[in-house]
Amino acid sequence: MHAYRAQYLGSLGEDPTPWWGAAIDAYDRCLEIQPDHPVALVRCAGVHSARAAYARDRGDDPQEDLNAAVRRLEVLHGSRTDRPGDATRLAQALIERASWVASRGEDSGADVARIAALLGEASQAGGEAAVEAERLAKVVKERLLDSPSGESNSR
């Protein structure tokens, strides 16, 4: 509920960050009870990603939230192997983080390597995961491998 309020307030031009903080706190309470709860992990990662995008758009550093989104999705991906979509969710979060890192002229090679492995895993699973992996592979190529900063940081 807090995340939706943040989204609504943001659409009105108001500061959504306190509501994103409240949403993260609520998901953290849920995760204290069940640390690998898939819905709480995905939604909490989504809140971190939204807050990171907001920070980036305002010229602030989104690194902390990008890292938090990745950590949440690493827990999700590591908790079960029967959900091929988890690999693409984690790959998407890593793409966002690697794009930020590369835009600052820093080395994003480790994230790019993990992304490649996750997309390979999703492709082998077939179905919707393979389709999403193909889409994300194009995003990686455009944002990380073909860009001047990404090209030098992905080796």
Side-chain angles (χ1 to χ4, degrees):
M1 184 61 115
H2 299 298
Y4 295 117
R5 184 168 185 134
Q7 182 179 5
Y8 173 71
L9 291 173
S11 73
L12 297 176
E14 295 183 32
D15 182 9
T17 54
W19 292 98
W20 279 321
I24 290 168
D25 290 345
Y27 289 125
D28 281 342
R29 286 191 300 278
C30 175
L31 293 166
E32 286 174 8
I33 297 166
Q34 186 178 349
D36 62 349
H37 191 282
V39 173
L41 288 166
V42 168
R43 290 191 179 163
C44 192
V47 172
H48 281 293
S49 294
R51 197 164 67 174
Y54 182 77
R56 185 180 53 242
D57 292 346
R58 293 173 48 95
D60 296 330
D61 187 346
Q63 189 72 46
E64 185 177 329
D65 279 308
L66 293 170
N67 290 341
V70 167
R71 282 193 307 273
R72 304 291 183 162
L73 294 171
E74 285 172 335
V75 171
L76 178 71
H77 182 254
S79 66
R80 289 176 48 187
T81 58
D82 63 339
R83 294 184 308 243
D86 294 350
T88 56
R89 282 186 187 94
L90 178 54
Q92 179 65 54
L94 286 165
I95 290 167
E96 293 304 318
R97 185 170 75 181
S99 296
W100 169 253
V101 167
S103 75
R104 295 174 51 163
E106 297 173 12
D107 184 11
S108 62
D111 279 348
V112 172
R114 287 185 66 202
I115 292 163
L118 289 163
L119 296 182
E121 177 185 324
S123 291
Q124 289 180 349
E128 290 180 31
V131 172
E132 181 65 2
E134 185 176 326
R135 184 189 73 77
L136 290 175
K138 292 176 185 173
V139 171
V140 169
K141 185 174 181 338
E142 292 168 6
R143 288 175 58 182
L144 294 167
L145 301 179
D146 287 347
S147 70
S149 63
E151 186 174 35
S152 64
N153 289 310
S154 62
R155 293 184 182 153

